[in-house]
Amino acid sequence: MKKTAMPRSIITLFAMKWLFFSYFLALLPQFDRLPPWALLTALGIAGWRLLIDLRGLPRPGRGIMLILTLGISAMILLYFHTFFGLLPGSTGLLLLSALKLLELKNRRDFSLVALLSFFLLLTFLLHDQTIPALLYVLCSCTFLVASLLALNNPLTTKKKNPLRRALVLVTTALPLALIFFFFFPRNRGPLFLLPHESHTQYSSGFRDFLRPDQVARLAQSKEIAFRVSFPAGNPPQPEDLYFRGAVLRHTDGLTWTRGAREGRPRELLQPDDSVSLVEQFYSLTKENQNYFFALDYPVQTSRAVRIVNGQVLRKTWSDFTPTNYQVFSQLSGEWPEELFDSERREVLQLPEKIAPEVRQLAQSWREQAGNQSDIMAQALNFFAEQGFRYTTRPGLYSEEDFLSSFLFRKKRGFCEHYAAAFTMLMRLAGLPARVVVGYQGGVYNPVGNYLAVRQSDAHAWTEVWQEGRGWIRIDPTAVVIPERLSIGSEILDYLKSGGEGDFDFMAAWQRALRRGFLRRLLLEINHYIDVINNKWNLWIISFDRREQRRLFRSLGISPKNPFLMALALICAALALIMALSFRFRDRVKVDQAAKAFGVLQKRLENSGLRKISSEGSVTFLEKAARCFPHAAGEIREIKKIHAELRFGRERAGRPAEITRLLRLIKKLQLKKP
Amino acid sequence: MNRNGRTRPSVSALILLLVLLAALAGAMNYGNNMAFFLTFLLFSLGLVDLFLARLALTGLSCQEIACQPVFAPGTSEFTLNLIELKGRQRNAVFLAAHLDEPEFSGPWTIPASGRISLSAAKNGLPRGRHSLPGIILLTFSPLGFFTRTRFLPMKREFYVYPAPAGNQPWPPSKGGLKEHGLERLGGEDFTGFKRYRPGEPQQHIDWKGVAKGRPPLVKLFSGGGDRELWFSWQDTAQKNPEERLSQLSKWIVEADRNETGFGLELPELKVAAAAGVTHTHHCLALLAAADTRHWK
């Protein structure tokens, strides 16, 4: 046979409207991520096309398209300085699909725009993996499918909304997608080098540097940073809830950074057998976060992370960033006797320019005090008695005289100010000291039996080296605002009592009734929502190669070659589709009226009236009407509707008639009342 | 083409494949499970689409095709019923007659367990006996990643008669056989009336008389008397066999219009003189199917 000529493609306005709407849905969640100019440009271009379709505006010529393409490329290059990477790529994709929408001519262009919108949704999921994000994406996927349905069935109109069929298609595809999700072999690490993503874009929460003079107002994000549970049932005291993330050693007087010695696994705390270790299980919420937290001081970890110099955690090389890990911490420990010289030099490092009054203050402590402990006590006293105030809105400090201005004049700040100033004073007084950044505290979730640590719990404190004792944690902020430590105490009562999931809901309920019903109710609901989010993170988001291997092992499969496995999976799916289509090819959809008749026939046969095979349904029902005279009217009515539905002019049954038939059959009384 | 049809990926399927590869690469690179899930969902949607494409044209049957013969440069029209047997509504079905280059008409929607009457047309066919082996159905899969085509066999023949052309007058009538029962209605001389019997041509009814209230009478003419009209290949003056066939065709059409009986004489066969629609079509069909290569 010769090549079949394709029928002329028709793109109805109806299909175009669906495409516009689903494109808009795909674009909407990008608003907090992609640059606003790009989104506005995309919206503008799409709106232009909408006007072309609705008002019959002239289509842009090739020249205009060329100018637009070049202009958009230039804007991306000017804004990002590159085309590569997730953000420039997503922006390019967004604008490219808008341009394609503008010049959309045939079915192929239509499919391309729809599929690019799918890809846009995918880049959104790369950024946000929460349940609401997934639900939103599924919803807009359904709309995209509906627009494709509207394209391929040009006779679809408002009366026959494609959304219902789209929902059926997506629901049919879901189980197959889930099978692939769990069984498609996963890779160990990135395929190619990831473009560096900036981690400093989060305005609040954990940062691996301090810049106390710059932050005028601390943003208080309630977003959860991580959740930690204590599987062994020995949670620490509230005053021990210091989750260290990074150690900052180097300062230029203002900024504190990690310094050069990061990553060298030397001078680690030796595990002490006499002290019981606190087991912690962490589940992180943000992907691509390269910091991992542990209670002071971690000594053992699961394979995903490792302990580096400064007793902080880093991910093991070349793997994906783990989303959960296990750590054993020793709440007090023995350090090596001696501080290495190189380390000592670094933790005593001082900036060149220091205000004389600050230097004088430290010098006076050194002269007055007999030993190191006295110096520390004096410094803490200084913060406690000189009228320092804790505030999240300290206002701006000038770059030149941050320390003297903070210590002697303004005296207000938050943890970063106190930790930075205290560490500097310690070094001036001759004590090796470093800043530790991480989180402190957290909110206990009784439903999930874990501690939820939020971005607003981000904290900074100081560690001072004391000869003979090692690194000692000193939190100068706690001197200024002792309440900060006690926040977690109430909720930890339960944790301490054993915490094996035997949370008494009724007791909690009664407590809730006593203490302001609505507030407690909301709190309870929030706890439940948070538990669901945690399970989602643990079971779905962190499903990786290791988890998959565990799944395979439990099913008794041990795939040697992941490529073969992937290929086999795809072939199996295709074979399944082929087999199913052969199976379904000859299946006739049973008429609902015929089905209803079958039900009635069974009931009549149970009452002793057999249908002879030569009898038609009409004859049989007439016979039944004569046999059951008290129900003759109803049976004849059924006979009439059934005949009309099955053999009448409009055989494709009208729903109202079928409902009536079913109701009549259901209500039919064969036995005399 | 196999009997149940063929599924072909469309250009959109290629785009889908590229998008899937890019999405998979992205998901693998970032180790992002939601991206994996969306990729697999898209892939599954493609599979579901393939499944539906394979079912799109099954359970359709073609019934009762009629094709009127036409004169040569005319348009042959086929009328047929498409019947849905499986209780599923079929959307956007395109249809073409299976000829050299199918031209699709549509889209049509076939209701569940229902039927639609369709017509396909083909113009510019040369004189001859053509056969229509069947019709081609084409539909896009619901998401447009595949096209499904199906061939419904039919084995139906139809004729395209030679175009009536030529300006030769009728050949002279030959002395013939009246006992053939040929009803002669032609001629120029009015000879009288006879009573109209239902079924007779209404051309010669004395309508003026009917208007005056008389029963319908038929005017009788005589002339040519008992002579028979024979159209013969040898009588045509043209050189080109096709032109000769056209001349014969024109004569037959004129004779049919005048309701004159005639016989046809071709180099290899002879059709006895007769009149009526069946006879005319029979003769025209012979002309249409004529193989003139060895005729002189």
Side-chain angles (χ1 to χ4, degrees), chain A residues 10-31:
Chain A
I10 313 156
I11 300 174
T12 56
L13 183 61
F14 183 71
M16 280 307 291
K17 282 178 183 167
W18 275 91
L19 186 66
F20 279 122
F21 188 63
S22 18
Y23 180 70
F24 181 68
L25 281 184
L27 186 137
L28 201 60
Q30 318 275 358
F31 259 97

Side-chain angles (χ1 to χ4, degrees), chain A residues 155 186 191 540 543 581 585, chain B residues 28-29 33 54 86 109:
Chain A
L155 303 179
R186 297 305 178 84
L191 293 180
I540 305 295
F543 182 82
S581 60
R585 204 165 62 194
Chain B
M28 285 171 97
N29 209 30
N33 272 348
R54 287 176 58 82
K86 294 286 167 73
T109 298

Side-chain angles (χ1 to χ4, degrees), chain A residues 1-2 4-8 10 86 107-108 111-112 115 118-119 121-122 125-126 129 134 137-138 141 145 148-149 152-155 160 165 169-170 172-174 176-178 180-181 184 186-187 189-192 194-195 197 287-288 320 536 540-543 570 573-574 577-578 580-582 584-589 651-652, chain B residues 1 4 8 10-12 15-19 22-45 47-52 54-55 58-59 85-89 91-92 94 98 100-102 104 106-109 111-113 136 138-149:
Chain A
M1 190 194 134
K2 285 183 187 169
T4 314
M6 284 293 134
R8 214 168 59 82
I10 313 156
L86 192 54
R107 295 165 40 86
R108 195 190 58 200
S111 302
L112 184 63
L115 287 169
F118 264 109
F119 209 87
L121 288 171
L122 188 120
L125 281 183
L126 285 181
Q129 295 204 76
L134 179 70
V137 166
L138 278 179
C141 270
V145 167
L148 283 175
L149 285 174
N152 290 294
N153 182 6
L155 303 179
K160 278 205 70 99
R165 187 134 195 259
L169 280 185
V170 172
T172 320
L174 269 179
L176 213 56
L178 280 177
F180 269 89
F181 180 81
F184 192 86
R186 297 305 178 84
N187 46 322
L191 293 180
F192 36 85
L194 294 173
E197 296 286 330
E287 278 266 314
N288 296 330
F320 286 123
W536 176 256
I540 305 295
I541 302 299
S542 59
F543 182 82
I570 291 171
L574 279 171
I577 292 301
M578 292 293 165
L580 277 181
S581 60
F582 275 118
F584 273 84
R585 204 165 62 194
D586 301 320
R587 206 174 81 160
V588 180
K589 205 167 161 186
R651 281 177 55 200
Chain B
M1 189 187 286
N4 284 307
R8 285 197 186 84
S10 63
V11 187
S12 313
I15 301 172
L16 172 72
L17 192 69
L18 292 177
V19 166
L24 190 65
M28 285 171 97
N29 209 30
Y30 289 92
N32 184 299
N33 272 348
M34 288 303 102
F36 268 119
F37 178 71
L38 193 65
T39 310
F40 296 143
L41 182 68
L42 193 54
F43 179 64
S44 307
L45 278 170
L47 287 180
V48 171
D49 195 39
L50 174 64
F51 172 71
L52 292 174
R54 287 176 58 82
L55 289 189
T58 58
L85 302 169
K86 294 286 167 73
R88 284 187 279 131
Q89 182 182 311
N91 297 320
F94 295 83
H98 182 260
D100 298 342
E101 269 185 29
F104 285 94
W108 313 103
T109 298
S113 308
I136 301 170
L138 182 145
T139 192
F140 299 111
S141 59
L143 300 183
F145 298 131
F146 301 94
T147 53
R148 177 81 177 173
T149 43

Side-chain angles (χ1 to χ4, degrees), chain A residues 210-223:
Chain A
L210 282 194
R211 195 72 211 264
D213 62 310
Q214 272 192 339
V215 185
R217 187 171 176 273
L218 189 68
Q220 297 278 324
S221 163
K222 283 288 162 197
E223 203 182 334

